[in-house]
Amino acid sequence: MKEASFYTIRADRVECHLCPHNCKLKDRQWGICNVRQARDNKLFDMGYGRISSLAIDPVEKKPLYHFYPGAQILSVGGLGCNFNCSFCQNHQISQIQHQMLARAEYLSPQEVIDIALEKAPKAGIAFTYNEPMINYDFMIDVASLAKSQEIPTVVVSNGYINHAPLEKLIEVIDAFNIDLKGFNNQFYKKFAGGRLSPVLDALKQIKKADRHLEVTHLVVTNANDNFDEYRAMLYWIAENLGQRIPFHISRYYPQYKYSQPATELTLINDYVAAAREKLQFVYPGNVHADASTYCPECGELLISRSGYSTKTVALSEKYCLNCHYELPIII
């Protein structure tokens, strides 16, 4: 365990300021994340360095399509989450009891760096699988070491984090994929146990800091599949994040506590079509569909994708070989 960052002492309790839950904890109480615990008037990160998953993945699996396309990335997962999504696809490691922390493998930040240096994944290290923001202190330590070694770092997150810790994190992270789960506060409250506005604030903060950002939206049957709300989401994204933001639309399959049927393919097609009216780079996920990258200026095929197989076709540095349009792609 390690003393956590971002907390204050309030009389007989400590108040965590990492995420918008701002948990107020008496001695020996655990936060909503089941990772941070109050002890002797301090707050500790009890999941520091506790690893649930470690793998070399295609960077497209995160999903990141404009960040070193076709490259491999070292994916590092911890335990716990500050949401409780009933349709969670990684519930075995996110929806945990805190007793699981002590049984998980421990790696130091330097050991993670050593693995990355040995495997040499071009796209660097991704903090992913569970919600990495709740493993904040470990993530900051690893990312700081990675920066000194010129290893890129990526965060795949629900975006539920307060402004100050995100500001510090942005200094050492190169790319983010944020899951915008819906565009209705009642949906966030009922299905995730959180609020919409902090996620929107985090997205704007990352964009303002000029970090590479991609957004994912999982379309969940009879939960967030209101088309009017979706159109409002697209308008907000275009206005606040820009039309060039890569946007991933993923198909839901029954998971965890949610047994509604998988998203209809026709609906995914409709969502993709609607998004392409507003945004230049829209990618369907969890379906057999064309997820290649085309030049928005001339229509040239730039990056061909089939599953996780990626081939650069007409891209030089970040420019279209046909019309020389500059693309928002890091290669």
Side-chain angles (χ1 to χ4, degrees), residues 57-74 121-127 150-156 172-177 210-214 246 248 283 293 303 305 310 312 315 327-331:
D57 290 324
V59 69
E60 283 80 11
K61 196 174 181 180
K62 298 303 95 192
L64 287 170
Y65 280 15
H66 288 205
F67 188 77
Y68 297 104
Q72 299 290 297
I73 195 164
L74 176 65
K122 183 179 179 181
I125 299 169
F127 303 98
E150 298 185 346
I151 300 171
T153 50
V154 167
V155 170
V156 182
V172 292
I173 297 295
D174 297 287
F176 292 81
N177 185 298
D210 199 29
R211 286 294 182 266
H212 182 81
L213 174 63
E214 304 193 20
H248 304 265
Y283 301 107
T293 299
I303 303 171
R305 296 186 183 89
T310 302
T312 299
L315 192 65
L327 284 302
I329 297 176
I330 297 173
I331 61 173

Side-chain angles (χ1 to χ4, degrees), residues 4-19 21-46:
S5 54
F6 294 101
Y7 76 93
T8 54
I9 302 170
R10 304 288 188 193
D12 65 337
R13 63 190 65 197
V14 298
E15 184 171 338
C16 178
H17 299 298
L18 178 61
C19 88
H21 290 306
N22 294 311
C23 293
K24 299 172 179 63
L25 307 172
K26 292 186 176 181
D27 193 51
R28 301 290 163 164
Q29 280 190 324
W30 293 80
I32 287 173
C33 62
N34 261 330
V35 169
R36 290 186 155 207
Q37 185 189 31
R39 288 191 176 196
D40 301 322
N41 234 22
K42 292 182 179 180
L43 186 66
F44 288 93
D45 178 357
M46 305 299 288

Side-chain angles (χ1 to χ4, degrees), residues 86-145:
S86 54
F87 46 81
C88 180
Q89 298 174 68
N90 289 319
H91 59 91
Q92 297 92 341
I93 60 173
S94 68
Q95 306 304 307
I96 63 160
Q97 297 299 313
H98 56 77
Q99 292 88 344
M100 291 177 62
L101 296 173
R103 299 196 294 268
E105 178 186 7
Y106 174 82
L107 290 177
S108 70
Q110 186 59 56
E111 286 174 317
V112 174
I113 296 298
D114 291 343
I115 294 169
L117 290 172
E118 177 189 354
K119 303 294 185 182
K122 183 179 179 181
I125 299 169
F127 303 98
T128 180
Y129 297 138
N130 74 315
E131 175 46 56
M133 296 301 191
I134 66 163
N135 306 124
Y136 181 89
D137 298 290
F138 183 70
M139 182 166 56
I140 281 281
D141 289 348
V142 174
S144 298
L145 283 174

Side-chain angles (χ1 to χ4, degrees), residues 6 17-22 36 82-83 131-136 139-140 155 157-170 176 178 195 197-203 205-206:
F6 294 101
H17 299 298
L18 178 61
C19 88
H21 290 306
N22 294 311
R36 290 186 155 207
N82 53 1
F83 278 176
E131 175 46 56
M133 296 301 191
I134 66 163
N135 306 124
Y136 181 89
M139 182 166 56
I140 281 281
V155 170
S157 170
N158 61 26
Y160 209 62
I161 185 172
N162 285 332
H163 183 93
L166 180 55
E167 185 174 42
K168 182 179 178 182
L169 184 65
I170 284 171
F176 292 81
I178 301 298
R195 294 180 290 121
S197 59
V199 181
L200 300 182
D201 290 342
L203 284 165
Q205 187 177 350
I206 295 167

